[in-house]
Amino acid sequence: MARLADLSMDEFLQAAIDEARIGWDSGGIPIGSVIVHEGKIIGRGHNKRVQQGSPTLHGEMDALENAGRLSANVYRESTIYTTLSPCSMCTGAILLYGIPRVIVGENRTFQGEEELLRSRGVEVTVIDDPTCVSLMERMISERPELWNEDIGEE
């Protein structure tokens, strides 16, 4: 049983990584996310702040947008996978919709609001995936000004 769970986790994290690569390849920030309900991806997205000139279109927000308008029960039974630890804004959306589980690809390059999520009863699992780390390290190295803009730094 644990092996099936591990396989699914890898499949869904890989889907989030694929989204992150789409974001990077299209000139943006390599952060991707998928929302999973009953073993199926119901929403996927990547950071599109650069591509769409949006101040709020982070990977998790794009995945929520692409999941569409769903009943609260669906979100309360879902898991969100994200390649990077969720920022304050994305954490707020996770809490607002009552998503009970967050799988984080990595939190070395950015430590988001994991403790806030945990304090509100959300199960947070950090995978520390080397692909997620290398995507972010490359972006931070090659485009530090873009990264600082994304996290609200000078």
Side-chain angles (χ1 to χ4, degrees):
M1 191 84 134
R3 293 179 109 180
L4 287 175
D6 290 345
L7 179 61
S8 293
M9 182 173 61
D10 291 345
E11 172 189 338
F12 300 133
L13 182 59
Q14 185 58 56
I17 291 169
D18 293 345
E19 286 293 324
R21 286 187 172 128
I22 292 168
W24 178 250
D25 291 345
S26 62
I29 296 168
I31 301 169
S33 183
V34 297
I35 302 169
V36 177
H37 181 257
E38 296 182 348
K40 295 181 182 156
I41 295 174
I42 61 169
R44 61 175 59 231
H46 55 274
N47 188 303
K48 292 180 180 168
R49 285 186 350 84
V50 174
Q51 300 90 322
Q52 294 190 9
S54 168
T56 58
L57 208 46
H58 286 194
E60 299 91 335
M61 304 300 277
D62 191 38
L64 282 165
E65 180 70 22
N66 291 326
R69 200 170 150 207
L70 301 169
S71 76
N73 286 337
V74 171
Y75 289 116
R76 289 186 189 127
E77 297 171 350
S78 294
T79 300
I80 190 165
Y81 289 74
T82 180
T83 58
L84 187 66
S85 185
C87 71
S88 299
M89 177 179 62
C90 296
T91 293
I94 291 164
L95 293 173
L96 177 67
Y97 289 102
I99 298 172
R101 286 170 302 286
V102 179
I103 308 297
V104 177
E106 71 102 346
N107 64 1
R108 283 194 231 172
T109 58
F110 179 76
Q111 177 69 54
E113 298 293 340
E114 294 167 27
E115 289 309 313
L116 175 57
L117 288 166
R118 287 184 182 104
S119 77
R120 299 281 296 274
V122 176
E123 178 186 332
V124 178
T125 303
V126 179
I127 303 300
D128 197 32
D129 180 81
T131 302
C132 294
V133 173
S134 68
L135 280 166
M136 288 307 299
E137 286 178 344
R138 178 180 177 196
M139 196 275 304
I140 292 168
S141 171
E142 291 180 16
R143 299 190 68 194
E145 73 291 341
L146 184 60
W147 174 238
N148 288 336
E149 175 188 328
D150 197 62
I151 60 172
E153 302 275 325
E154 289 293 325

